[in-house]
């Protein structure tokens, strides 16, 4: 249950971060925002690391070197989600990102990739993913309300 709570907190933080990033990028640009966000993350995480961990930052042990490039993914995550939020809105962009996360996690889990134990493929899992995708498509089908200029609204009111 603790793990689920941590995942909920992460989901909240991801959504807020992407909305905030989109607003910052309107003033600074997407690459400046990406640099600022990740640089600020480094500045905030270093004191916590040195306060909590009792080892060197560069002790990797027997970690597969390819896994050390996950920080590069962070650059893509911040940049692409920020741009998605700016272009199509937070709910739609984050919903699509969530579905792609679930699909990729499902493939990794089912295939037993990257050292995880393989899990079985089931119709329940496939149905769940299909329902998620269907939900996002249904959400997107909603017609957006058109913002009319105040003069047009007033003109319609006078005609009625």
């Amino acid at each position: 249950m603790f793990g689920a709570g941590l995942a909920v907190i992460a989901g909240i933080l991801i959504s807020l971060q992407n909305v905030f990033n989109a607003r910052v990028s309107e003033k600074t640009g997407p690459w400046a925002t990406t640099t600022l966000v990740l640089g600020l993350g480094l500045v905030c995480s270093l004191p916590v690391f040195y306060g909590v961990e009792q080892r060197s930052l560069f002790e990797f042990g027997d970690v597969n070197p390819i896994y050390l490039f996950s920080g590069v993914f962070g650059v893509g995550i911040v940049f692409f989600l920020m741009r998605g939020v700016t272009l199509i809105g937070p709910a739609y962009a984050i919903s699509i990102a969530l579905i792609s996360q679930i699909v990729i996690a499902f493939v990794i889990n089912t295939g037993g990739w990257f050292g995880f134990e393989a899990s079985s493929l089931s119709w329940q899992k496939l149905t769940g993913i299909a329902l998620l995708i269907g939900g996002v498509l249904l959400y997107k089908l909603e017609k957006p309300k058109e913002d009319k200029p105040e003069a047009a609204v007033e003109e319609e009111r006078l005609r009625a």
Side-chain angles (χ1 to χ4, degrees), residues 6-7 14 18 28 39 49 63 70 73 76 81 86 91 103 114 119-120 123 128 135 138 140 146 151-152 154-155:
L6 293 175
I14 289 168
N18 286 298
T28 66
F49 169 77
V63 173
S70 66
F73 297 154
L81 256 176
T86 301
V103 168
F114 307 113
S119 68
S120 62
W123 68 268
L138 185 64
K140 186 58 182 163
E146 292 183 30
E154 182 65 22
E155 186 177 41

Side-chain angles (χ1 to χ4, degrees), residues 104-122:
I104 293 302
F106 171 75
V107 169
I108 290 169
N109 211 38
T110 303
W113 294 359
F114 307 113
F116 288 96
E117 186 177 326
S119 68
S120 62
L121 180 65
S122 70

